[in-house]
Amino acid sequence: MKQRRPSFPTFCISLTNLIFTTAMIFGIAVAVHAQHTATVRGTVTDETGAKVTGATVLLRSRFGLLLSNTTDQSGTFVFRSLRSGSYLVEVRADGFAVFTSRNITVHDDDEVTTDVKLKLAGISASVVITPTGTVQRIDEVAKALTTVSSEDIEASHEVNLPEALRGTPGLRVQQQGSPGSLTSLRLRGQRNFDTSILFDGLRIRDSADINGSAVPFITDFLINDIDRVEVLRGSGSSIYGTNAIGGVINIVPRIGAGTPTFEAEFEGGGLGLFRERIEGNSGIGGKGGFTFGITRIDVRHGIDDQDQYGNTGGVARFYYTLTPSIDVSANFFGSSSNARVNDNPQPIFSALTSGQQFPRAIESVNFQPDFNNPDQGRRNAIWSGAFRFTHSLNAKVNYTVAYQHLRTRRRNYNGPEFDPQFASLSPFGEFEFTSINNGGTDTLDARINIALHNTNIATAGFEFENETLFQRFTSAFGAAPGTTDRQRTFAIFGQDQIILLDGRLQISLGAREQFFRIRAADRPGPLASITADSSITGDGAIAYFFESTGTKIRGHVGNGFRAPSLFERFGDGVFQNVQTRFGDPTLRAEQSIAVDAGVDQRLAHDKLLLGLTYFYTRLQRVIDFKSFRSFFNPTGDPDPLGFDRTGGFVNFPGGISRGVEAYVETAPYHGSMLRSSYTYTNSDRFVVPGGLQPQFVTPAHQFSLSFTQRYHRFLGSFFLNRVGDYLAPVFPVTFTFAGYTKVDTFLTYEHPISDRRALEFFGGADNVFDQKYFENGFRAPGIVARGGVKVRF
């Protein structure tokens, strides 16, 4: 085996010293000069010229500095003591489309006036961050992006975030049973762990998960204090690192502004569901703000009156502008849940003897859906705290340092009890076990942005991450003492944004190299002198906007990667009271290459938006489990590490996914919004030795339609989601599960009490036509009626 050069520590120290020394030099240079500041002011009106009071006005620098304000009785706003630089003004007001200004450049001692006219009907033009990690107008984005706003989420009245994302082009949302059951988010036909989940731009994942992803906690993501969700479709690893193969989902919390406001909500309905929520936000003297949200959800019956689920989740965000050039922020994200879970579906004898490759799943004919287990369940807890410091050294140089601590706790268990009516499905009794998986991740992210020219923004940065894992599995086969392992990764990355032709031409180029450091003690025997290979990814995107016709054409090519998880590197198990290792500490990271190209078209004075995208993704290298030569597999390949393991994780070639995403959005008149999307996906996975086989859980066709209409104090909403036929395993048979159409509808009435106080009543139903369907053999809920009340004060 070849030797790897041990340059990692020296390189880390050198780069760290260089970045901080550079920052200090810039800081000293700025400090010796007198400070001159600028002012931006304006007036907000509607289309009739009437002044809009109480509108939230956000002033964002291209590098991330943020100020908030609200319009007064005359509709005016003002931001003083600004450093010279480039800014965007974003204005939000109830009942109006979001407005974002063109680029505003201010110099020392300037007084710039920017008046804003809000539209009653139109496609919102909000600011986005995810595509490049810097502030952009939506029409400047060169990648495929969908934004789900807080208004969209509130109109759907969904109880958790994944359900609110249904209908996003290219996204497959799957919930395996009652609320609280395993939920996955799959982008562009990729696996459930190929989507990177971010909260305010920082990764949320479980280092103790078998694939190092956020999958075990997705079902617990509640709707708390969310401003919007940005869904980047396509590779994003050059900026956001591991797991961003299919895309990135960034949950952006609200920004506190204006006078203090609070909301308290209660609702109840089918499945014995109850939800209580309280949220609040406030500005702090025009220089900062805070927001918070706490939600409790209980499902007391579930589909079979046994699938109880409880979850308490909270979110908080604070930011403050210390000086015109320094901004600090902190956020908190967490939840603690407890759920009863069913036994897995099982094939019936007729399916095992049918001779069909992918028989159509028919309940009680060839498969038994999930069934009750009275003492099987899971406990999950995830807590994240983060701090970010942003400093503009001058009009051209800015740096940001962010630190996040993330802790996860999972306990899965099953006792000796079983439901007597399903005794025949467990002829050998219950498999008793307790599985504990605890993870911890500390992340330090630092980056510097330099405006080399008005048309060029360069970004360089580094990321350090320390992951830990504790695992212990106890069963009738024995109990291991538990293992604790860790992995340290270090990444350097860079990006260049080129803006030409008065902003009509946007080009971005990026690259990232990820290094992995593993202790010698974790590389037994002949592996002691071998370290894990680094991973290199690149990214490029281009877009051109034809302003006269409202047409944008765009293209994107890039690599995605997924770092080997701690479980894949160090995982072990117990067989006949013997601890057996199946991890490989020298695994190479998974890697993909993806290409997409598309067009976005604005029509009818920004009241109609159309889009079409073609995508292609190839998984060049993946990690999967393989059985080696043993007593039970005498013809298998020998253990490549030479440790006589019976099986373990190895690198394989991956599969291919390609397809088309189309969408339409229109706001034809005041208070209305119509959205529709269609996704065609042809996805294959690589199977040894069979070659390419259809990917699981990926329908060829998905269609969605949503319509919301506000009329005076009423808001009606209608959501239709159609999922086509798909393949899914019910071990050892792969079934074809029938597609389904899910329709949800709600009606909301708002009763104002005063300028700041209001009552809101709502009611409706999920799966209003009570369609019976299964997700991977797990029964989905039928019609679930819900209603509640919200108080705003």
Side-chain angles (χ1 to χ4, degrees):
M1 299 182 180
K2 65 178 181 178
Q3 299 288 323
R4 317 292 186 201
R5 48 190 179 88
S7 60
F8 177 82
T10 303
F11 184 81
C12 293
I13 296 171
S14 299
L15 184 64
T16 303
N17 289 338
L18 175 62
I19 290 176
F20 281 103
T21 300
T22 302
M24 289 178 63
I25 292 172
F26 274 115
I28 294 170
V30 171
V32 299
H33 290 85
Q35 296 290 320
H36 298 277
T37 59
T39 300
V40 171
R41 65 176 74 244
T43 302
V44 179
T45 60
D46 63 18
E47 291 174 299
T48 67
K51 303 297 191 293
V52 179
T53 64
T56 298
V57 185
L58 303 175
L59 185 71
R60 301 176 186 265
S61 79
R62 287 288 187 174
F63 295 149
L65 282 171
L66 173 67
L67 287 170
S68 64
N69 210 328
T70 54
T71 55
D72 59 21
Q73 293 297 319
S74 60
T76 61
F77 64 89
V78 60
F79 294 97
R80 296 186 175 89
S81 302
L82 301 178
R83 290 290 300 272
S84 60
S86 296
Y87 296 89
L88 295 175
V89 173
E90 183 179 11
V91 182
R92 302 179 179 197
D94 291 340
F96 295 93
V98 177
F99 169 88
T100 300
S101 70
R102 293 290 182 183
N103 189 66
I104 300 172
T105 301
V106 300
H107 303 285
D108 291 344
D109 301 322
D110 277 355
E111 287 205 15
V112 177
T113 299
T114 300
D115 293 329
V116 175
K117 180 178 290 187
L118 298 181
K119 296 181 179 180
L120 289 170
I123 305 298
S124 292
S126 60
V127 163
V128 294
I129 300 172
T130 309
T132 61
T134 59
V135 172
Q136 291 181 294
R137 284 174 51 91
I138 191 68
D139 57 9
E140 296 173 337
V141 174
K143 300 175 183 178
L145 181 82
T146 298
T147 299
V148 182
S149 69
S150 58
E151 291 80 9
D152 302 328
I153 295 171
E154 288 298 319
S156 70
H157 289 286
E158 295 293 353
V159 297
N160 64 15
L161 182 60
E163 288 297 314
L165 299 182
R166 281 189 187 268
T168 301
L171 179 64
R172 166 76 157 111
V173 179
Q174 186 184 57
Q175 178 181 289
Q176 295 185 176
S178 294
S181 59
L182 182 67
T183 301
S184 61
L185 300 170
R186 302 167 185 257
L187 278 164
R188 292 187 166 177
Q190 299 304 310
R191 302 157 300 178
N192 57 3
F193 47 83
D194 286 335
T195 300
S196 182
I197 309 294
L198 312 178
F199 182 77
D200 202 19
L202 296 172
R203 277 191 305 276
I204 296 291
R205 65 189 186 101
D206 179 14
S207 62
D209 173 46
I210 189 172
N211 303 115
S213 72
V215 170
F217 293 94
I218 288 176
T219 189
D220 295 328
F221 287 177
L222 301 178
I223 296 172
N224 263 327
D225 203 42
I226 295 174
D227 177 70
R228 65 189 184 277
V229 180
E230 297 178 5
V231 182
L232 175 65
R233 311 191 305 276
S235 59
S237 287
S238 292
I239 302 173
Y240 297 109
T242 184
N243 295 87
I245 289 176
V248 175
I249 296 177
N250 186 15
I251 304 166
V252 183
R254 281 195 301 171
I255 297 169
T259 57
T261 58
F262 301 92
E263 293 181 352
E265 178 181 346
F266 171 80
E267 73 169 291
L271 303 179
L273 186 148
F274 296 92
R275 180 172 66 155
E276 304 86 35
R277 180 171 59 156
I278 183 168
E279 293 184 348
N281 81 92
S282 176
I284 304 176
K287 291 188 175 183
F290 69 88
T291 63
F292 72 90
I294 302 173
T295 297
R296 171 68 188 182
I297 180 173
D298 290 280
V299 178
R300 300 183 178 178
H301 301 304
I303 295 175
D304 58 11
D305 289 331
Q306 301 291 330
D307 303 335
Q308 296 91 349
Y309 170 63
N311 184 14
T312 301
V315 168
R317 186 178 192 273
F318 166 85
Y319 80 96
Y320 195 79
T321 302
L322 297 174
T323 72
S325 60
I326 297 178
D327 183 283
V328 295
S329 65
N331 63 54
F332 168 83
F333 171 91
S335 70
S336 178
S337 67
N338 186 12
R340 295 287 189 181
V341 298
N342 286 346
D343 277 333
N344 291 333
Q346 294 185 11
I348 296 176
F349 183 74
S350 60
L352 301 172
T353 59
S354 68
Q356 298 178 354
Q357 184 180 13
F358 306 123
R360 182 165 288 272
I362 305 174
E363 180 188 10
S364 302
V365 174
N366 58 9
F367 90 100
Q368 166 64 44
D370 58 310
F371 52 94
N372 181 53
N373 187 327
D375 57 0
Q376 181 171 254
R378 65 159 179 86
R379 291 179 180 270
N380 280 2
I382 181 170
W383 308 103
S384 168
F387 174 82
R388 181 179 279 115
F389 176 88
T390 302
H391 184 195
S392 289
L393 297 173
N394 53 45
K396 295 184 178 296
V397 181
N398 156 286
Y399 69 90
T400 298
V401 178
Y403 167 76
Q404 175 182 257
H405 175 70
L406 177 65
R407 185 178 70 174
T408 59
R409 299 291 184 265
R410 287 188 290 116
R411 180 176 178 265
N412 297 79
Y413 58 90
N414 187 26
E417 298 180 16
F418 60 88
D419 193 324
Q421 63 178 316
F422 299 110
S424 62
L425 298 174
S426 303
F428 303 105
E430 280 297 295
F431 180 71
E432 299 180 50
F433 69 88
T434 300
S435 176
I436 296 174
N437 294 275
N438 298 335
T441 306
D442 290 280
T443 304
L444 179 65
D445 182 289
R447 56 190 69 192
I448 184 168
N449 300 298
I450 304 174
L452 301 175
H453 188 269
N454 291 337
T455 61
N456 195 327
I457 300 174
T459 302
F462 74 91
E463 179 187 86
F464 172 79
E465 191 170 69
N466 180 53
E467 300 176 77
T468 60
L469 160 70
F470 172 79
Q471 58 176 344
R472 183 169 62 205
F473 186 83
T474 303
S475 73
F477 292 103
T483 60
T484 301
D485 294 288
R486 72 180 184 186
Q487 174 177 242
R488 292 176 178 175
T489 64
F490 179 87
I492 56 173
F493 56 90
Q495 179 181 253
D496 192 18
Q497 299 177 63
I498 303 169
I499 307 165
L500 301 173
L501 302 178
D502 196 26
R504 297 191 302 276
L505 179 61
Q506 302 277 337
I507 302 171
S508 66
L509 302 170
R512 182 188 189 100
E513 184 166 11
Q514 192 94 6
F515 303 90
F516 305 93
R517 180 163 184 167
I518 303 167
R519 298 174 301 178
D522 295 320
R523 305 193 298 276
L527 305 180
S529 61
I530 301 174
T531 59
D533 283 330
S534 64
S535 179
I536 300 176
T537 56
D539 190 273
I542 184 170
Y544 184 81
F545 184 65
F546 297 88
E547 195 166 8
S548 60
T549 61
T551 306
K552 180 172 68 176
I553 55 174
R554 50 182 166 76
H556 176 211
V557 59
N559 299 116
F561 84 91
R562 183 180 71 85
S565 69
L566 284 164
F567 195 83
E568 290 164 333
R569 288 203 190 276
F570 309 115
D572 59 21
V574 177
F575 183 71
Q576 294 182 341
N577 291 318
V578 177
Q579 190 167 358
T580 303
R581 179 189 184 116
F582 44 77
D584 180 352
T586 64
L587 285 169
R588 299 190 67 189
E590 294 189 333
Q591 187 152 318
S592 69
I593 185 167
V595 178
D596 65 58
V599 58
D600 301 307
Q601 178 66 58
R602 288 179 175 265
L603 297 168
H605 304 287
D606 284 344
K607 293 183 179 181
L608 177 63
L609 177 63
L610 310 170
L612 182 69
T613 303
Y614 169 80
F615 64 88
Y616 175 93
T617 303
R618 175 182 288 275
L619 293 172
Q620 300 164 299
R621 182 175 59 248
V622 299
I623 299 170
D624 210 341
F625 192 87
K626 180 179 181 179
S627 296
F628 303 136
R629 186 179 301 165
S630 66
F631 174 81
F632 301 99
N633 183 23
T635 61
D637 295 330
D639 177 8
L641 297 183
F643 297 147
D644 294 325
R645 297 176 301 165
T646 58
F649 290 102
V650 297
N651 288 121
F652 283 107
I656 302 172
S657 178
R658 53 279 198 205
V660 175
E661 301 159 344
Y663 72 90
V664 57
E665 297 182 17
T666 181
Y669 46 87
H670 175 47
S672 67
M673 178 59 70
L674 175 68
R675 293 186 177 92
S676 183
S677 71
Y678 167 75
T679 303
Y680 169 76
T681 309
N682 180 8
S683 183
D684 296 311
R685 58 195 175 92
F686 186 84
V687 180
V688 179
L692 292 177
Q693 299 288 336
Q695 179 65 278
F696 294 142
V697 199
T698 303
H701 306 282
Q702 287 193 109
F703 173 79
S704 74
L705 176 67
S706 69
F707 178 72
T708 58
Q709 175 63 60
R710 182 176 293 278
Y711 181 74
H712 297 299
R713 298 176 183 176
F714 291 91
L715 174 65
S717 60
F718 174 88
F719 301 89
L720 181 151
N721 287 280
R722 171 67 187 173
V723 174
D725 294 357
Y726 65 93
L727 300 179
V730 179
F731 185 79
V733 179
T734 297
F735 285 101
T736 300
F737 283 91
Y740 60 88
T741 302
K742 181 175 181 285
V743 175
D744 309 330
T745 183
F746 282 86
L747 180 65
T748 303
Y749 171 77
E750 183 175 0
H751 176 70
I753 300 174
S754 67
D755 290 342
R756 295 184 54 193
R757 294 185 295 168
L759 280 175
E760 185 178 287
F761 303 92
F762 62 90
D766 301 307
N767 195 7
V768 68
F769 295 117
D770 199 24
Q771 180 164 9
K772 186 177 183 180
Y773 64 96
F774 300 90
E775 292 282 21
N776 293 13
F778 291 82
R779 189 190 308 277
I783 183 172
V784 180
R786 295 186 283 116
V789 59
K790 179 191 294 185
V791 182
R792 185 168 61 250
F793 56 95

